[in-house]
């Protein structure tokens, strides 16, 4: 059968595609590039108005001085703000909803924060589904009330190293399924008792605090299925404990200093856990991880970092009795010292149903470790990459 090329009468075949298709294509490229097509013709201006994925980053308006500190270029920052305003105004002409809005912005004063509030309100009014706002530097930020009562938000990401102030008591996000918190300081227990309860269908929660005061130390939700907690702050940890009350949780990724206690660990649906527990010799010389491991002893897959192996071994030396992992079929284990490797045989005794054992860091010290014959069916080894 003969085939003929589409004769568009022009070398510009892409312009003949339907507006909806072109809009979808431009939604997949950087917003700055997509917006630049608006100068080509009125048709392309109409197409840009259909773009539903907007991504703005003001990093280009920052320069490093001789001391290596970031400084704002006044002219470039004004250009950036005008670019955001023009793009949103052009997109508004298309009267189409916005699926995703991402903003990286360095706030210098209240005037600049006014721009942020206006932009966020703009996309919220147009039914944004995925909102990602990362502001700097460390300061108290007041986001618009509409953010906390959106009926369309499905995914919300907030950061970084800022305080949101007191959350409104009427906070309610009925459609939110994914919440990403990156170094946000909340008023006392607002995350646990205001934000999370205000998300009735929340399925995934990610809380990260890097070089920032970590909180909360109690995470409670009846709906979340996936939880990631990454803390690396040692501020006041000597008097803190950690609780998990998430009966529907299936996957847990927990990274933190090993704490004094874990008084409540209600994770009855948990299937897989990744643990990276670190030892703090000054603040907590004898951490108590019994509650944590007892609370996850029913899981099927467990990943233990080298740091975790070190902590567990220390605890066992001081009297910790590990629970029996009757359902565990897959274990990933790594160590960075003799103490951790000597834990492995003891741990395997507590895993009667284990089928797959993955050893990480085989370039470490294992020469003086002997293990009894076991039921393990698959043994995998991974060498650590050294840069």
């Amino acid at each position: 059968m003969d085939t003929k090329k589409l004769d568009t009468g022009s070398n510009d075949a892409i312009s003949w595609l339907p507006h909806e298709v072109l809009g979808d294509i431009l939604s997949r490229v950087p917003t700055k590039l997509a917006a630049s097509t608006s100068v080509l013709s009125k048709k392309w201006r109409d197409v840009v108005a259909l773009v539903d994925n907007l991504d703005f980053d003001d990093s280009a308006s920052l320069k490093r001085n001789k001391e290596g500190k970031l400084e704002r270029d006044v002219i470039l920052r004004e250009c950036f703000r005008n670019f955001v305003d023009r793009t949103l105004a052009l997109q508004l002409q298309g009267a189409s909803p916005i699926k995703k809005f991402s903003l990286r912005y360095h706030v210098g004063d209240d005037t600049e924060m006014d721009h942020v509030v206006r932009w966020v309100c703009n996309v919220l009014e147009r039914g944004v589904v995925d909102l990602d706002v990362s502001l700097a530097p460390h300061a108290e930020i007041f986001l618009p009330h509409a953010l906390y009562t959106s009926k369309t938000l499905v995914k919300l990401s907030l950061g970084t190293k800022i305080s949101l102030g007191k959350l409104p008591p009427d906070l309610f996000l009925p459609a939110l399924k994914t919440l990403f918190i990156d170094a946000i300081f909340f008023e006392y227990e607002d995350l646990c008792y205001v934000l999370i309860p205000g998300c009735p269908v929340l399925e995934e929660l990610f809380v990260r605090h890097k070089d920032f005061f970590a909180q909360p130390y109690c995470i409670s939700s009846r709906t979340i299925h996936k939880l990631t907690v990454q803390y690396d702050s040692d501020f006041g940890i000597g008097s803190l404990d950690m609780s998990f009350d998430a009966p529907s949780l299936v996957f847990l990724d927990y990274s933190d200093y090993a704490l004094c206690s874990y008084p409540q660990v209600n994770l009855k649906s948990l299937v897989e856990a990744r643990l990276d527990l670190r030892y703090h010799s000054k603040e907590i010389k004898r951490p108590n991880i019994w509650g944590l491991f007892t609370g996850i002893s029913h899981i099927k897959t467990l990943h233990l970092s080298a740091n975790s192996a070190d902590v567990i071994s220390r605890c066992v030396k001081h009297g910790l009795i590990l629970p029996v992992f009757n359902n565990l079929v897959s274990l990933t284990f790594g160590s960075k010292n003799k103490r951790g490797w000597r834990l492995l045989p003891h741990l395997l005794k507590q895993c009667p149903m284990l089928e797959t054992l993955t050893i990480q860091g085989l370039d470490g010290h294992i020469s003086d470790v002997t293990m009894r014959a076991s039921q393990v069916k698959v043994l995998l080894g991974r060498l650590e990459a050294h840069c």
Side-chain angles (χ1 to χ4, degrees), residues 193-217:
Y193 296 108
V194 180
L195 182 52
I196 295 178
C199 306
V201 297
L202 189 65
E203 296 179 356
E204 181 176 357
L205 175 62
F206 187 110
V207 184
R208 177 171 61 193
H209 291 288
K210 182 175 177 59
D211 301 324
F212 195 68
F213 177 64
Q215 62 168 324
Y217 276 89

Side-chain angles (χ1 to χ4, degrees), residues 17 19 30 33 36 68 90 101 115 130 132 160 172 201 237 247 267 277 293 330 344 381:
L17 293 173
H19 279 46
L33 177 60
S36 67
L90 185 62
F101 180 79
H115 294 289
D130 183 347
D132 184 352
T160 303
F172 186 58
V201 297
I237 61 171
L267 302 172
L277 301 177
F293 279 84
S330 178
L344 184 55

Side-chain angles (χ1 to χ4, degrees), residues 13-143:
I14 193 172
S15 294
W16 288 83
L17 293 173
H19 279 46
E20 292 76 12
V21 175
L22 293 175
D24 182 65
I25 292 174
L26 292 185
S27 294
R28 300 171 187 270
V29 302
T31 299
K32 188 175 182 179
L33 177 60
S36 67
T37 63
S38 64
V39 302
L40 298 176
S41 67
K42 181 180 183 303
K43 173 177 180 176
W44 281 99
R45 286 196 295 273
D46 295 338
V47 171
V48 172
L50 298 177
V51 172
D52 58 14
N53 187 345
L54 302 176
D55 185 359
F56 300 102
D57 189 338
D58 77 334
S59 298
S61 68
L62 302 174
K63 295 182 179 179
R64 293 193 180 276
N65 59 22
K66 295 180 180 180
E67 290 75 29
K69 296 181 179 181
L70 288 175
E71 291 184 343
R72 298 171 174 83
D73 186 300
V74 176
I75 296 177
L76 290 178
R77 289 187 66 75
E78 182 66 24
C79 291
F80 174 80
R81 290 192 293 267
N82 291 337
F83 170 63
V84 178
D85 286 334
R86 288 197 305 270
T87 303
L88 288 176
L90 185 62
Q91 213 275 348
L92 181 60
Q93 295 176 10
S96 59
I98 296 178
K99 290 183 180 179
K100 181 176 181 179
F101 180 79
S102 178
L103 176 66
R104 300 285 183 275
Y105 193 63
H106 291 74
V107 179
D109 52 37
D110 292 341
T111 302
E112 290 190 326
M113 191 60 210
D114 291 341
H115 294 289
V116 174
V117 171
R118 187 177 71 255
W119 297 332
V120 171
C121 286
N122 184 305
V123 297
L124 287 171
E125 290 173 358
R126 290 148 71 181
V128 66
V129 174
D130 183 347
L131 180 62
D132 184 352
V133 177
S134 182
L135 305 174
H138 183 184
E140 189 170 37
I141 301 295
F142 295 97
L143 293 172

Side-chain angles (χ1 to χ4, degrees), residues 21 55 63 91 99 105 121 148 163 184 189 206-207 268 285 320 333 357 382:
V21 175
D55 185 359
K63 295 182 179 179
Q91 213 275 348
K99 290 183 180 179
Y105 193 63
C121 286
Y148 304 113
S163 170
I184 297 289
E189 296 185 335
F206 187 110
V207 184
K268 62 182 181 181
K285 293 185 178 181
L320 171 67
F333 183 94
L357 173 62
R382 297 177 183 172

Side-chain angles (χ1 to χ4, degrees), residues 160-379:
T160 303
K161 293 187 178 181
I162 58 175
S163 170
L164 295 180
K166 187 67 177 176
L167 296 181
D170 61 340
L171 183 149
F172 186 58
L173 299 169
L176 195 70
K177 293 185 177 181
T178 302
L179 178 60
F180 187 104
I181 300 296
D182 187 2
I184 297 289
F185 179 81
F186 291 92
E187 292 289 328
Y188 180 70
E189 296 185 335
D190 264 6
L191 178 58
C192 294
Y193 296 108
V194 180
L195 182 52
I196 295 178
C199 306
V201 297
L202 189 65
E203 296 179 356
E204 181 176 357
L205 175 62
F206 187 110
V207 184
R208 177 171 61 193
H209 291 288
K210 182 175 177 59
D211 301 324
F212 195 68
F213 177 64
Q215 62 168 324
Y217 276 89
C218 175
I219 295 181
S220 178
S221 172
R222 300 286 144 179
T223 61
I224 58 173
H225 298 157
K226 183 177 181 180
L227 173 62
T228 300
V229 177
Q230 296 180 353
Y231 293 168
D232 74 349
S233 172
D234 61 359
F235 180 79
I237 61 171
S239 60
L240 296 174
D241 53 38
M242 184 70 174
S243 290
F244 297 99
D245 182 18
S248 300
L249 195 69
V250 176
F251 175 84
L252 171 66
D253 186 344
Y254 177 47
S255 176
D256 194 1
Y257 287 104
L259 301 175
C260 295
S261 68
Y262 296 81
Q264 181 184 20
V265 181
N266 177 19
L267 302 172
K268 62 182 181 181
S269 299
L270 194 65
V271 175
E272 180 176 357
R274 293 179 178 271
L275 300 182
D276 180 28
L277 301 177
R278 302 180 299 281
Y279 179 68
H280 200 297
S281 59
K282 295 181 179 179
E283 293 288 339
I284 308 176
K285 293 185 178 181
R286 291 195 178 185
N288 183 355
I289 59 175
W290 181 84
L292 175 62
F293 279 84
T294 300
I296 67 170
S297 60
H298 58 282
I299 61 175
K300 294 183 177 181
T301 302
L302 177 61
H303 306 265
L304 294 176
S305 69
N307 289 325
S308 296
D310 181 68
V311 167
I312 298 169
S313 184
R314 290 174 184 272
C315 292
V316 169
K317 180 180 179 180
H318 291 104
L320 171 67
I321 300 177
L322 287 173
V324 177
F325 294 85
N326 284 313
N327 300 321
L328 195 70
V329 295
S330 178
L331 171 65
T332 299
F333 183 94
S335 181
K336 58 184 179 182
N337 53 37
K338 293 181 181 180
R339 180 170 44 245
W341 287 119
R342 288 169 180 164
L343 170 70
L344 184 55
H346 177 71
L347 182 59
L348 290 178
K349 292 178 181 179
Q350 306 302 106
C351 308
M353 302 302 293
L354 191 67
E355 297 180 358
T356 301
L357 173 62
T358 302
I359 304 294
Q360 293 182 320
L362 288 178
D363 51 344
H365 184 95
I366 57 174
S367 60
D368 60 349
V369 173
T370 57
M371 295 182 290
R372 66 179 177 83
S374 70
Q375 71 288 345
V376 175
K377 298 178 181 179
V378 180
L379 176 63

